[in-house]
C-alpha cells in the first residue's frame, strides 16, 4: 500500500469550505481513479496547516494517477487559499483498535533516519511502539508511512477526541524518546490535528 500526502498552508477562514470540497468533490473524483483506496484530511484551524492523504493499492497505481490527480489537487489548493507540498510514501504499518468517530484528533510525528536503517525502525515501531500506544486511553488507530530513499517517515496516531490526545502527550513523548534511542531516528516535527475526513480505507497492516 502507498500514499500521497499534500500539505496545504491554507487560509484559516477557508478551511470549512475546503473540508466540504474535499468531502463532496475530491473524494468522489479520487474514487473513480483505478487503484485509489481512499482519502483522509487533517486540519489545524489555528495555523491553517492541512494535510490531505490519498491511499493507493500499489506504487504503480499511485504513479499512474498523477496526471488525473494534478488538476483535482490544484482546484482544492485554490479553494483552501494557500500553497502546497506533495510527498509520496510507502505505508509500512497500520493498526485500528476501532474506527474513528466524529471529533477524532491526530498527532503526527515526522522523523528521519539513515535510509539503511528504515527497516529496523519499522520493526521497532511494530514490535514496541505500536503496542505501547494502543494502551493509551482513547487510542483509536495508528499508521506509519516511510520514504525509503530519504529515510523520512511519519507516524500518525488517532485518538477518540482532543481531550484524549491531550492526556496522552506526556506518555507519547516518552515513547518517542525510547524509539529514538533504540533506532537512532531523529524527530523533525510533532503536530496535532483535527481529523476532518477519515476515509483512507487502508487494511490492517500491523
Amino acid at each position: 500500500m502507498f500514499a500521497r500526502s499534500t500539505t496545504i498552508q491554507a487560509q484559516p477562514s477557508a478551511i470549512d469550505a475546503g473540508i466540504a470540497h474535499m468531502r463532496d468533490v475530491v473524494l468522489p473524483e479520487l474514487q473513480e481513479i483505478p487503484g485509489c483506496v481512499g482519502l483522509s484530511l487533517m486540519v489545524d484551524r489555528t495555523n491553517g496547516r492541512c494535510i490531505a492523504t490519498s491511499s493507493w493499492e500499489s506504487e504503480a497505481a499511485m504513479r499512474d494517477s498523477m496526471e488525473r490527480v494534478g488538476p483535482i489537487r490544484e482546484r482544492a489548493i485554490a479553494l483552501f487559499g494557500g500553497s502546497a507540498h506533495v510527498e509520496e510514501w510507502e505505508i509500512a504499518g497500520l493498526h485500528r483498535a476501532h474506527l474513528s468517530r466524529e471529533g477524532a484528533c491526530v498527532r503526527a510525528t515526522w522523523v528521519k533516519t539513515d535510509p539503511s536503517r528504515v527497516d529496523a525502525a519499522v520493526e521497532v515501531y511494530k514490535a514496541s511502539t505500536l503496542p505501547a500506544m494502543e494502551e493509551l486511553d482513547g487510542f483509536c488507530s495508528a499508521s506509519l508511512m516511510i520514504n525509503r530513499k530519504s529515510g523520512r517517515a511519519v507516524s500518525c496516531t488517532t485518538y477518540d477526541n482532543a481531550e484524549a490526545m491531550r492526556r496522552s502527550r506526556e506518555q507519547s513523548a516518552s515513547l518517542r524518546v525510547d524509539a529514538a534511542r533504540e533506532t537512532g531516528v531523529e524527530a523533525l516535527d510533532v503536530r496535532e490535528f483535527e481529523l476532518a475526513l477519515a476515509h483512507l480505507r487502508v487494511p490492517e497492516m500491523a
Side-chain angles (χ1 to χ4, degrees):
M1 298 292 295
F2 287 78
R4 179 186 290 119
S5 65
T6 301
T7 302
I8 304 169
Q9 192 56 50
Q11 296 295 326
S13 61
I15 286 179
D16 283 329
I19 292 172
H21 179 77
M22 296 292 288
R23 180 189 64 235
D24 300 334
V25 179
V26 174
L27 179 58
E29 289 182 335
L30 288 181
Q31 289 174 327
E32 294 180 358
I33 300 176
C36 184
V37 178
L39 176 72
S40 70
L41 177 66
M42 308 186 303
V43 303
D44 183 338
R45 294 179 182 275
T46 301
N47 63 24
R49 191 177 190 183
C50 304
I51 303 177
T53 303
S54 55
S55 54
W56 302 87
E57 292 177 348
S58 66
E59 186 174 18
M62 181 173 67
R63 295 291 166 81
D64 290 345
S65 73
M66 290 179 65
E67 187 173 343
R68 292 182 64 178
V69 168
I72 297 172
R73 179 191 304 121
E74 292 307 313
R75 290 194 297 270
I77 293 169
L79 190 58
F80 275 103
S83 57
H85 173 65
V86 179
E87 293 182 276
E88 294 183 345
W89 310 90
E90 174 187 340
I91 303 176
L94 185 140
H95 173 62
R96 293 183 183 90
H98 55 263
L99 294 175
S100 60
R101 308 179 180 95
E102 184 176 355
C105 293
V106 180
R107 178 179 297 110
T109 303
W110 287 265
V111 301
K112 185 174 183 179
T113 189
D114 187 286
S116 66
R117 305 185 67 175
V118 167
D119 284 329
V122 170
E123 288 306 311
V124 170
Y125 176 84
K126 290 182 175 181
S128 302
T129 307
L130 185 54
M133 286 193 298
E134 190 172 14
E135 296 300 316
L136 298 177
D137 183 39
F139 173 87
C140 176
S141 64
S143 64
L144 178 66
M145 302 190 297
I146 62 173
N147 184 309
R148 293 183 180 277
K149 291 182 179 180
S150 67
R152 282 171 53 85
V154 56
S155 169
C156 294
T157 308
T158 304
Y159 297 89
D160 288 332
N161 50 56
E163 175 60 21
M165 183 169 64
R166 185 194 64 77
R167 291 196 304 267
S168 75
R169 284 174 185 163
E170 185 174 340
Q171 290 170 288
S172 294
S174 178
L175 290 174
R176 288 196 298 272
V177 171
D178 291 343
R181 184 183 302 114
E182 189 169 355
T183 63
V185 301
E186 173 191 0
L188 301 175
D189 197 9
V190 180
R191 302 276 182 142
E192 295 182 347
F193 299 89
E194 167 194 337
L195 183 58
L197 290 178
H199 296 275
L200 208 56
R201 300 297 182 259
V202 176
E204 182 81 9
M205 299 175 63

